[in-house]
């Protein structure tokens, strides 16, 4: 049974159950404003239900059951904006329908939207450019299943679930123009032709045809049962309006009809197709497209294209997705854009070539139940990133180690699923799992997906489409939780304390077996490097660059779009690896918090997330991607303060770095309103960002891209290259000889020499200050930081290199250890992280920081502290408000390795090699940030046999840029 790639699975899991689940909730007048933790990867994390494009094909909107809308630029596929609707528990906020007005200005979206607080669903209308919710159409009894605009944009049609029919609205005022409620089941298909005729389909068996009168009234002119299936589902007019194609929920047939009376014309060849979904005509009407599953699919989807509008032969385009194709739309050039349940979306041109394919960043845990492993104490989990167990990995919570080449000799436990005395059968992909022959009680159409028997056989865990359930050995349900997605795999720790589940949203979550209380969640990004782990209250730990992967969704009422704040905005309070380390042992978040605070001498937290929310900034003008021709631009922006906390400062960034003299100290109240400021611009394409701060946190940057269209600068100004300033610090020989290392000082010298080789190439001059061994006293290091801060201008590049020891004190404060460090007097003799951060913040030019300070802690008497605390430092330095690109030699509890055969540390050897040209994989004669990152990752792993994993973190406000060129 391959129901993952079927209309039935998508409809039952996403559409039908959503309304039933919401109906059980309690009505409230407004959405809750309590912050909700959500995953955010820059792409959808659940099936994309529908898409929309404007008439000029400039923009694409995707709607997902992950409760977000995303606006993409065409043809580049660049993400422009994420829009968040008001959400609630369970299914409230799932988006099933979307349409973009032909002019591209308005987005209409709906689904399970508004029922939780109004006991009726709503259609949300958003401004496409700003994401602002401009209108809400409410009062519908049934989910909004399909939305479609007329080609001239004058009308919007909505079909509804249940027996609630179709509504048509005049877009001049969005007043109801016409309706038909005479439906016997839900309507899942709708389309307009070029003159305004409307066709709909319904699972009641009928396809209906309407005309819209001069006043906008809706008149039904035909209603037919169509040959080919009992439940018509998809429907599309041909571009000339003469034909209609219908696809079915209960069959793999297609039917092409006459558009004026719905009479049958012909049936395209679907022989051998196992499943079919999503249909569309090409813009010229000559080609018909549909998503199909073939018998030899092997986990992939095809798009079939028929010639002559479906009358002639076909060609199958392979490998377009790994899951159900949920919607297809034509593009002006006779190509198509499509979306899938992966989730993913793509563009295919008229010749059948894929031009764009953007897929999710979530691990696919399907069909890998026996590969879902637990360490004996439950603190380590084995999983696979890809379908059917491909790309296995292991994560150890104890040392925060993500191993993508797991040691096969370490035997972790798969789930136990067979026992003659506790005989659970028929649990794989069925609606009727049984215990010793007796059916278990599940919801209607709830399919069982995964099973784990408790080690003592007193109970068993069952993962399904809609729930995670623990049953006792007699089949009585002990507890049930609503999961964030299908529970593809489950397991129970060897001591029977913990239940663990892997879900369709890419998360792995731990629960107390005693009561089903969730205590921890883990999300591994599919780049195989980033991960984040968090508690229900939001205390978290994250690898470098991973703080953006989760955050707080905050509703702003039912008539406004919601806000989203990445967890990194609350780093000072919620970055707590010490709590994460204790929670699985204690099994209780409150107890883990108490013990961690007691250990660190920290006071209990008094402020809530809602009280600490940062300001929200929105640039009103110029618009994104505007053309500019002046060296100064006026930026108009607005400020909101959701927490009510006053704004204490506003910072302007150009290309990710602060603009001198443009940090505005303010004391703004909750209603700051519109403001403006003048920003100097370089004579090139650039990005401008604005960040506002309150006493708790900095805002998410509001960023626009500006394209330079002014006159070319004077010749002399044009050829002036940047200047590079380098501060390289390396300590091998310490005043206390037991701290000494082998190659840290040489690493600093070698890095400086590599940088000097760029003089006259990428940089007009390179000035380096090198401090090694006794030269690297605390005073000299601080003087060096002051030197590079004063020398670097906005046109320059600064590189700071640290090699030696780093140490976290008992309060978690990080120190770099200079030559004259005395561990008994660390506050007075160490270089605190705050001095490094302050330097990075104040550097005017592009800033790169290289950190190689995680050498073996044995020589420090085990006093190095939590090595993963360096992750927090990397994330803070590379945040938008600090703006540094950070390269670190190692992550987690790994040590930075050095060896005489390299005559360097592994990190510096790879760094120098890459800088001198080996990172130029493409042979283009330049090394960029991303190219160096890739080279470091591969080369250090090669040198150390996978024992050391370097990492790079870069602010979102900084694009990739060259740091070296070849002679």
């Amino acid at each position: 049974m391959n129901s993952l790639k079927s209309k039935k699975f998508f409809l039952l899991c996403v559409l039908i159950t959503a309304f039933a689940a919401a109906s059980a909730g309690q009505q409230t007048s407004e959405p809750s404003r309590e912050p909700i933790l959500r995953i955010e990867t820059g792409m959808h994390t659940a099936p994309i239900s529908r898409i929309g494009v404007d008439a000029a094909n400039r923009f694409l909107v995707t709607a997902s059951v992950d409760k977000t809308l995303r606006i993409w630029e065409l043809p580049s596929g660049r993400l422009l904006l994420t829009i968040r609707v008001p959400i609630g528990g369970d299914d409230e906020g799932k988006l099933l329908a979307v349409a973009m007005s032909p002019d591209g200005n308005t987005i209409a979206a709906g689904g399970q939207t508004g029922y939780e607080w109004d006991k009726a669903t709503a259609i949300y209308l958003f401004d496409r450019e700003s994401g602002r919710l401009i209108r809400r159409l409410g009062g519908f009894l049934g989910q909004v299943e399909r939305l479609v605009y007329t080609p001239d944009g004058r009308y919007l049609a909505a079909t509804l679930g249940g027996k609630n029919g179709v509504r048509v609205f005049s877009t001049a005022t969005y007043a109801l123009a016409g309706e038909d409620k005479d439906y016997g089941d839900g309507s899942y298909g709708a389309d307009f032709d070029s003159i305004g005729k409307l066709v709909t389909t319904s699972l009641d068996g009928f396809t209906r045809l309407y005309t819209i009168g001069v006043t906008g009234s809706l008149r039904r002119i035909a209603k037919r049962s169509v040959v080919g299936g009992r439940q018509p589902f998809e429907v599309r007019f041909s571009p000339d309006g003469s034909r209609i194609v219908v696809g079915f929920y209960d069959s793999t047939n297609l039917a092409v009809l006459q558009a004026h009376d719905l009479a049958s014309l012909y049936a395209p060849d679907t022989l051998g197709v196992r499943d079919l979904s999503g249909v569309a005509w090409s813009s010229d009407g000559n080609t018909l497209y549909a998503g199909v599953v073939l018998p030899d699919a092997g986990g992939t989807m095809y798009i079939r294209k028929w010639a002559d509008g479906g009358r002639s032969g076909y060609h199958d385009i392979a490998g377009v997705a790994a899951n159900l194709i949920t919607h297809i739309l034509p593009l002006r050039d006779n190509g198509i854009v499509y979306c899938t349940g992966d989730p993913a979306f793509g563009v295919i041109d008229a010749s059948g070539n894929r031009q764009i394919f953007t897929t999710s960043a979530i691990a696919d845990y399907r069909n890998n139940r026996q590969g879902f492993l637990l360490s004996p104490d439950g603190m380590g989990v084995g999983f696979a990133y890809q379908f059917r167990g491909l790309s296995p990995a292991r994560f150890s919570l104890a040392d925060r180690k993500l191993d993508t080449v797991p040691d096969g000799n370490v035997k972790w436990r798969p789930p136990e699923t067979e026992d003659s005395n506790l005989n659970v059968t028929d649990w794989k992909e069925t609606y009727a799992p049984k215990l010793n022959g007796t059916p278990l009680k599940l919801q209607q159409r709830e399919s069982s997906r995964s099973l784990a028997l408790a080690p003592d056989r007193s109970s068993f865990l069952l993962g399904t489409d809609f729930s995670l359930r623990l049953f006792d050995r007699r089949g009585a349900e002990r507890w049930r939780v609503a999961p964030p997605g299908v529970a593809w795999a489950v397991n129970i720790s060897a001591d029977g304390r913990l239940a663990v589940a892997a879900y369709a949203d890419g998360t792995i979550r731990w629960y107390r077996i005693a009561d089903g209380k969730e205590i921890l969640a883990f999300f591994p990004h599919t780049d195989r490097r980033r991960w984040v782990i968090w508690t229900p209250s939001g205390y978290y730990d994250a690898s470098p660059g991973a703080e953006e992967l989760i955050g707080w969704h905050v509703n702003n009422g039912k008539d406004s779009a919601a806000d989203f704040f990445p967890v990194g905005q609350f780093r000072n309070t919620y970055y707590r690896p010490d709590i994460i380390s204790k929670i699985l042992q204690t099994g209780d978040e409150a107890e883990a918090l108490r013990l961690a605070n007691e250990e660190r001498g920290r006071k209990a937290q008094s402020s809530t997330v809602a009280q600490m929310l940062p300001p929200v900034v929105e640039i009103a003008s110029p618009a994104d991607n505007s053309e500019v021709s002046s060296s100064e631009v006026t930026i108009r922006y607005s400020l909101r303060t959701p927490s009510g906390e006053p704004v204490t400062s506003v910072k302007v960034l150009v290309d990710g770095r602060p603009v001198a003299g443009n940090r505005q100290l303010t004391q703004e109240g909750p209603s700051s309103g519109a403001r403006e400021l003048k920003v100097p611009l370089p004579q090139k394409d650039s990005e401008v960002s604005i960040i506002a701060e309150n006493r708790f946190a900095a805002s998410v940057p509001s960023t626009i891209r500006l394209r330079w269209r002014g006159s070319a600068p004077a010749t002399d100004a044009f050829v002036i290259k940047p200047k590079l300033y380098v501060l390289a610090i390396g300590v091998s020989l310490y005043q206390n000889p037991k701290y000494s290392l082998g190659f840290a000082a040489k690493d600093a010298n070698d890095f400086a020499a590599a940088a000097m080789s760029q003089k006259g190439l990428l940089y007009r001059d390179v000035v380096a200050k090198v401090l090694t061994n006794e030269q690297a006293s605390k005073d000299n290091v601080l003087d060096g930081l002051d030197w590079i801060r004063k020398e670097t201008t906005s046109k320059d590049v600064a590189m700071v290199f640290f090699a030696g020891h780093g140490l976290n004190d008992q309060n978690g404060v990080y120190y770099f250890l200079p030559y004259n460090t005395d561990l008994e007097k660390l506050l007075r003799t160490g270089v605190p992280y705050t001095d490094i951060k302050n330097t990075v913040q104040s550097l005017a030019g592009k800033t790169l920081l290289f950190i190689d300070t995680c050498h073996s802690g044995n020589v420090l008497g085990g006093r190095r502290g939590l090595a993963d605390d360096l992750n927090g430092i990397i994330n803070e330095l590379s945040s938008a408000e600090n703006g540094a690109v950070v390269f670190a030699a190692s992550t987690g509890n790994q040590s930075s390795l050095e060896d005489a055969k390299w005559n360097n540390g592994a990190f510096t050897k790879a760094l120098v090699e890459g800088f001198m040209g080996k990172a130029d994989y493409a042979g283009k004669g330049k090394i960029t940030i991303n190219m160096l990152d890739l080279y470091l990752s591969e080369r250090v792993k090669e040198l150390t046999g996978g024992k050391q994993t370097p990492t790079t973190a870069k602010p979102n406000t900084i694009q990739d840029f060259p740091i070296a060129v070849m002679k």
Side-chain angles (χ1 to χ4, degrees):
M1 176 180 175
N2 200 353
S3 61
L4 305 180
K5 297 180 178 69
S6 71
K7 295 182 291 294
K8 293 181 177 63
F9 177 80
F10 184 74
L11 187 67
L12 295 176
C13 290
V14 176
L15 310 184
I16 292 176
T17 62
F19 191 76
S23 299
Q26 294 184 349
Q27 181 178 356
T28 59
S29 59
E30 286 284 343
S32 169
R33 293 180 183 266
E34 190 67 23
I36 303 168
L37 266 175
R38 304 290 313 281
I39 298 168
E40 175 51 54
T41 67
M43 176 55 177
H44 295 292
T45 58
I48 300 175
S49 51
R50 303 292 280 184
I51 53 178
V53 294
D54 64 316
N57 294 175
R58 298 167 299 165
F59 307 107
L60 166 72
V61 59
T62 53
S64 171
V65 295
D66 71 3
K67 308 182 182 183
T68 67
L69 296 164
R70 294 177 192 264
I71 313 297
W72 311 84
E73 181 183 68
L74 292 177
S76 70
R78 177 172 69 99
L79 178 64
L80 298 175
L81 184 66
T82 299
I83 300 175
R84 301 175 192 279
V85 302
I87 70 172
D90 297 329
D91 298 305
E92 176 58 58
K94 286 184 175 179
L95 296 170
L96 312 176
V98 72
M100 185 182 296
S101 61
D103 62 10
N105 292 334
T106 306
I107 304 294
Q112 183 53 53
T113 42
Y115 195 87
E116 188 171 295
W117 38 86
D118 285 338
K119 281 293 183 283
T121 54
I123 297 169
Y124 298 125
L125 300 171
F126 295 94
D127 174 67
R128 190 264 315 155
E129 184 173 353
S130 68
R132 183 170 52 90
L133 179 55
I134 54 179
R135 189 184 292 268
R136 180 175 57 89
L137 310 176
F140 307 118
L141 299 179
Q143 295 179 151
V144 181
E145 302 293 0
R146 292 293 182 263
L147 290 164
V148 58
Y149 280 96
T150 53
D152 61 9
R154 293 178 59 199
Y155 296 99
L156 171 70
T159 67
L160 304 174
K163 301 177 181 181
N164 294 290
V166 61
R167 309 288 186 275
V168 175
F169 304 89
S170 169
T171 58
T173 61
Y174 281 99
L176 181 66
E179 62 183 352
D180 183 1
K181 297 182 180 180
D182 183 21
Y183 278 62
D185 208 329
S187 175
Y188 298 98
D191 196 27
F192 280 110
D193 73 358
S194 59
I195 61 173
K197 279 191 302 188
L198 173 67
V199 63
T200 68
T201 57
S202 171
L203 296 187
D204 66 5
F206 293 102
T207 298
R208 295 164 170 86
L209 188 65
Y210 303 87
T211 60
I212 298 178
V214 176
T215 61
S217 58
L218 189 67
R219 184 171 70 90
R220 190 171 68 200
I221 58 175
K223 176 183 174 182
R224 280 182 181 263
S225 296
V226 178
V227 175
R230 293 187 302 273
Q231 295 177 302
F233 193 75
E234 300 276 2
V235 64
R236 297 287 295 181
F237 274 107
S238 63
D240 64 3
S242 66
R243 292 165 292 171
I244 294 171
V245 62
V246 175
F248 299 89
Y249 173 62
D250 61 327
S251 81
T252 59
N253 296 322
L254 287 177
V256 177
L257 316 176
Q258 292 183 149
H260 66 277
D261 61 359
L262 302 182
S264 294
L265 286 175
Y266 56 91
D269 183 1
T270 60
L271 185 66
V273 171
R274 258 176 50 189
D275 207 343
L276 184 148
S277 61
V279 295
W281 305 86
S282 61
S283 59
D284 63 7
N286 292 329
T287 304
L288 186 64
Y289 293 93
V292 298
V293 176
L294 302 179
D296 62 344
T300 188
M301 292 290 297
Y302 293 76
I303 286 180
R304 178 165 291 187
K305 48 183 298 190
W306 290 266
D308 193 19
R311 293 186 184 89
S312 300
Y314 59 81
H315 168 69
D316 289 331
I317 305 168
V320 296
N323 212 318
L324 176 74
I325 292 174
T326 54
H327 195 193
I328 303 174
L329 286 177
L331 296 175
R332 298 171 69 191
D333 61 0
N334 288 315
I336 56 170
V337 57
Y338 65 97
C339 63
T340 81
D342 293 57
F345 69 86
V347 171
I348 293 176
D349 67 18
S351 299
N353 300 311
R354 194 165 70 182
Q355 302 299 306
I356 294 175
F357 185 68
T358 300
T359 190
S360 70
I362 58 176
D364 187 345
Y365 303 128
R366 294 176 297 157
N367 285 32
N368 187 41
R369 303 179 188 92
Q370 290 303 304
F372 186 56
L373 312 175
L374 286 182
S375 63
D377 61 1
M379 292 186 67
V381 61
F383 60 96
Y385 283 101
Q386 294 181 307
F387 183 56
R388 293 179 176 168
L390 299 179
S391 300
R394 293 188 182 186
F395 179 76
S396 170
L397 180 66
D399 58 11
R400 308 298 200 276
K401 182 181 181 182
L402 178 62
D403 192 348
T404 55
V405 188
D407 185 350
N409 295 319
V410 178
K411 301 300 181 184
W412 289 4
R413 296 176 61 255
E416 298 181 56
T417 58
E418 296 183 3
D419 189 288
S420 59
N421 295 318
L422 190 64
N423 188 24
V424 183
T425 59
D426 302 319
W427 57 269
K428 295 181 181 179
E429 320 263 341
T430 77
Y431 298 134
K434 300 179 181 66
L435 172 62
N436 299 324
T438 301
L440 295 167
K441 292 183 179 179
L442 302 181
Q443 294 180 38
Q444 187 180 15
R445 299 189 179 102
E446 181 179 10
S447 181
S448 172
R449 300 289 177 179
S450 51
L451 172 71
L453 307 180
D456 64 1
R457 301 302 189 262
S458 64
S459 59
F460 61 93
L461 195 65
L462 193 71
T464 76
D465 292 342
F466 314 140
S467 63
L468 179 68
R469 301 169 184 255
L470 186 74
F471 294 91
D472 68 19
R473 61 178 299 106
R474 295 181 300 277
E477 185 177 285
R478 287 175 50 184
W479 52 257
R480 172 176 44 171
V481 296
V486 179
W488 293 124
V490 295
N491 207 336
I492 298 175
S493 61
D495 59 10
R497 291 190 314 116
L498 300 169
V500 189
Y503 292 115
D505 71 341
T507 63
I508 294 172
R509 298 176 188 249
W510 282 258
Y511 302 83
R512 285 195 306 236
I513 203 79
D515 57 6
K517 173 77 172 178
E518 182 181 326
I519 55 177
L520 202 60
F522 169 66
F523 179 79
H525 193 281
T526 52
D527 62 10
R528 278 62 163 178
R529 299 170 68 176
R530 288 181 290 165
W531 53 264
V532 59
I533 191 163
W534 67 96
T535 71
S537 296
Y539 297 108
Y540 73 94
D541 191 6
S543 65
E547 286 185 323
E548 64 192 34
L549 297 178
I550 61 168
W552 297 98
H553 172 109
V554 181
N555 291 325
N556 291 312
K558 60 187 179 184
D559 291 310
S560 297
D563 292 321
F564 183 81
F565 305 95
V567 292
Q569 312 306 117
F570 309 89
R571 186 182 304 109
N572 291 340
T573 301
Y574 282 93
Y575 176 68
R576 296 295 300 271
D578 52 343
I579 296 174
I580 300 297
S581 295
K582 297 179 184 304
I583 195 163
L584 290 190
Q585 293 99 328
T586 63
D588 183 83
E589 182 181 8
E591 179 64 8
L593 174 60
R594 185 190 69 80
L595 291 174
N597 283 345
E598 185 178 276
E599 206 171 83
R600 289 285 180 92
R602 292 181 63 152
K603 294 181 180 180
Q605 177 185 326
S606 58
S607 299
T608 65
V609 172
Q611 292 169 327
M612 293 187 290
L613 293 175
V616 176
V617 184
E618 181 181 336
I619 296 178
S621 67
D624 185 46
N625 221 26
S626 292
E627 296 183 351
V628 293
S629 57
S630 172
S631 58
E632 185 177 77
V633 64
T634 298
I635 303 293
R636 293 178 176 84
Y637 65 99
S638 63
L639 284 176
R640 285 191 292 112
T641 57
S643 65
E645 279 288 328
V647 174
T648 55
S649 68
V650 175
K651 181 189 293 186
V652 183
L653 310 179
V654 173
D655 292 333
R657 295 304 300 165
V659 175
N662 253 311
R663 188 180 182 93
Q664 301 181 359
L665 296 178
T666 66
Q667 191 70 16
E668 301 289 345
S671 300
S672 301
R675 310 184 79 206
E676 67 177 48
L677 48 82
K678 296 186 183 299
V679 179
L681 293 177
Q683 294 179 334
K684 65 180 185 67
D685 293 353
S686 57
E687 290 191 351
V688 177
S689 304
I690 298 180
I691 298 173
E693 298 175 336
N694 62 26
R695 66 188 177 108
F696 289 115
S699 71
V700 175
S702 180
T703 301
I704 56 171
R705 294 185 178 189
L706 299 176
R707 293 182 293 160
W708 179 254
R709 291 296 182 267
S711 58
T715 304
D716 289 342
F718 184 76
V719 299
I720 291 179
K721 300 175 181 179
K723 196 171 182 179
L724 172 62
Y725 289 93
V726 177
L727 175 62
I729 303 167
V731 187
S732 294
L733 302 177
Y734 281 85
Q735 195 172 58
N736 186 333
K738 71 178 183 179
Y739 306 159
S740 294
L741 296 164
F743 298 102
K746 184 176 183 299
D747 285 348
N749 280 312
D750 289 353
F751 173 76
M756 290 295 295
S757 70
Q758 286 296 304
K759 184 174 182 178
L761 297 176
L762 183 59
Y763 308 100
R764 72 179 189 275
D765 194 10
V766 179
V767 181
K769 182 183 286 289
V770 183
L771 302 174
T772 60
N773 297 333
E774 65 272 10
Q775 297 171 327
S777 65
K778 177 177 180 178
D779 287 346
N780 286 346
V781 170
L782 294 178
D783 287 344
L785 293 172
D786 191 49
W787 165 80
I788 200 167
R789 178 184 62 81
K790 290 178 177 177
E791 293 294 321
T792 306
T793 72
S794 61
K795 297 180 176 61
D796 300 327
V797 176
M799 296 183 182
V800 181
F801 178 94
F802 287 98
H805 282 301
L807 174 70
N808 294 101
D809 69 10
Q810 63 182 8
N811 295 317
V813 177
Y814 175 82
Y815 289 84
F816 174 72
L817 305 190
Y819 167 77
N820 57 333
T821 297
D822 182 344
L823 292 184
E824 301 304 320
K825 302 173 182 176
L826 187 60
L827 183 62
R828 186 154 56 87
T829 62
V831 176
Y833 162 68
T834 52
D835 287 334
I836 299 171
K837 183 180 78 169
N838 291 340
T839 299
V840 168
Q841 284 180 325
S842 58
L843 283 165
K846 292 178 179 176
T847 302
L848 288 78
L849 187 63
F850 301 87
I851 305 176
D852 190 0
T853 63
C854 285
H855 294 278
S856 173
N858 294 334
V859 295
L860 302 180
R863 295 185 57 181
R864 185 161 58 100
L866 284 172
D868 48 82
D869 277 359
L870 189 60
N871 291 345
I873 291 167
I874 296 168
N875 282 326
E876 183 168 7
L877 290 172
S878 61
S879 63
E881 61 267 28
N882 293 320
V885 179
V886 183
F887 294 86
S890 56
T891 59
N893 270 353
Q894 295 176 341
S895 292
S896 295
L897 304 179
E898 50 184 20
D899 197 302
K901 67 183 179 183
W902 308 326
N903 208 26
N904 278 117
F907 175 70
T908 302
K909 179 175 177 58
L911 176 60
V912 171
E913 287 178 352
F915 207 84
M916 298 300 289
K918 289 192 174 181
D920 182 16
Y921 289 108
K924 294 184 177 180
K926 67 178 180 180
I927 308 297
T928 70
I929 294 295
N930 291 346
M931 294 162 69
L932 183 60
D933 174 29
L934 177 61
Y935 183 79
L936 285 172
S937 177
E938 298 301 319
R939 181 59 168 149
V940 171
K941 286 181 184 178
E942 177 187 352
L943 289 170
T944 64
K947 295 178 181 178
Q948 181 176 334
T949 307
T951 190
T952 303
K954 179 169 64 69
N956 291 331
T957 52
I958 293 180
Q959 303 301 308
D960 192 25
F961 62 91
I963 56 174
V965 297
M966 303 301 101
K967 295 182 180 179

